[in-house]
Amino acid sequence: MQGYGVILRFAGPLRIVALVVSVGLTWIVVSILLGGPGSGFPRIQQLFTSESPRARKYKCGLPQPCPEEHLAFRVVSGAANVIGPKICLEDKMLMSSVKDNVGRGLNIALVNGVSGELIEARAFDMWAGDVNDLLKFIRPLHEGTLVFVASYDDPATKMNEETRKLFSELGSRNAKELAFRDSWVFVGAKGVQNKSPFEQHVKNSKHTNKYEGWPEALEMEGCIPRRSTAS
């Protein structure tokens, strides 16, 4: 009976110790789940959320916002002769199949480099069209005008030396070598001193073409500084 009494005397303190330990462990677990003081419930929410948060998209679908006094853009060339090109500026679609203002050849949007407003957008058939229509469009550009170009199907068959020279003067590196069914996207400007950093070109080659008879479509995005003057 004395041994039984000793066990009873120790049982009380042991229960208290076990309770303290249990409360302490519970507090630690709750603190971890709730993310600590002042952090709300982010961690416990993550446990019950299977999908990760979607990355925020900015103007024209860019993953990051452009700096102040810059214009956000995205230019997508056509895919083979099936999917038309797109030109987006400051979250406004300037040219697309949905707008019904794109076509085979070169799709060009002229933009005021100061205000970012669209001046004119046209498609020029470079397979069966008249290259003089294109020349009349890009010859009289005013200083500071931004030029957005997206190819579709064939951008070059009707190109002549003057056309290539004019695009080169707008900042293109690849206009001189552009050929039948190449993919090309380009952003240049009237009056630039250097070559444009906004240009992509993939040659039509049966060894590397993604589609039968056509190379892969190109997609280019970025931020263009607004021009200080445009006359």
Side-chain angles (χ1 to χ4, degrees):
M1 293 296 293
Q2 289 181 350
Y4 183 69
V6 172
I7 293 173
L8 288 176
R9 283 197 298 272
F10 279 100
L14 287 173
R15 288 193 186 98
I16 294 173
V17 171
L19 180 61
V20 171
V21 172
S22 177
V23 170
L25 289 173
T26 302
W27 175 255
I28 292 171
V29 171
V30 170
S31 297
I32 292 173
L33 288 176
L34 297 183
S39 62
F41 303 91
R43 298 188 186 180
I44 198 169
Q45 287 176 347
Q46 289 175 7
L47 292 176
F48 294 97
T49 304
S50 59
E51 296 182 2
S52 58
R54 291 183 180 179
R56 181 178 175 185
K57 294 294 185 179
Y58 296 88
K59 291 179 179 178
C60 291
L62 269 64
Q64 296 179 342
C66 288
E68 290 187 11
E69 297 305 312
H70 283 67
L71 302 170
F73 78 89
R74 181 188 297 272
V75 180
V76 184
S77 72
N81 62 347
V82 179
I83 302 175
K86 297 178 182 178
I87 299 177
C88 175
L89 182 69
E90 286 292 283
D91 237 15
K92 296 179 181 178
M93 195 62 70
L94 305 185
M95 302 189 76
S96 70
S97 296
V98 174
K99 292 182 69 71
D100 196 26
N101 63 348
V102 297
R104 176 176 64 182
L106 294 177
N107 295 268
I108 304 176
L110 305 181
V111 172
N112 184 300
V114 177
S115 67
E117 294 297 318
L118 176 66
I119 299 171
E120 190 174 359
R122 286 185 60 185
F124 298 90
D125 188 343
M126 301 304 291
W127 168 255
D130 186 348
V131 71
N132 288 308
D133 293 336
L134 173 60
L135 290 171
K136 292 174 184 177
F137 190 69
I138 59 176
R139 272 178 188 151
L141 297 183
H142 296 296
E143 193 83 5
T145 300
L146 299 175
V147 182
F148 295 79
V149 184
S151 68
Y152 183 25
D153 190 5
D154 175 24
T157 295
K158 289 286 186 174
M159 268 199 176
N160 57 19
E161 287 304 313
E162 183 181 0
T163 309
R164 297 177 189 276
K165 181 175 182 292
L166 287 172
F167 278 120
S168 297
E169 291 173 353
L170 294 172
S172 172
R173 288 183 173 89
N174 303 123
K176 291 181 179 180
E177 60 188 67
L178 203 64
F180 173 67
R181 285 187 176 175
D182 285 0
S183 288
W184 185 44
V185 288
F186 167 65
V187 181
K190 179 70 173 181
V192 295
Q193 301 301 316
N194 302 308
K195 293 302 180 182
S196 171
F198 303 116
E199 183 174 26
Q200 293 181 21
H201 173 225
V202 177
K203 294 194 72 64
N204 169 27
S205 169
K206 64 180 181 179
H207 301 295
T208 59
N209 282 347
K210 182 174 182 180
Y211 311 105
E212 185 178 352
W214 290 269
E216 63 182 301
L218 295 173
E219 183 172 343
M220 181 174 65
E221 62 186 32
C223 305
I224 303 174
R226 290 182 185 268
R227 307 283 290 186
S228 57
T229 59
S231 56

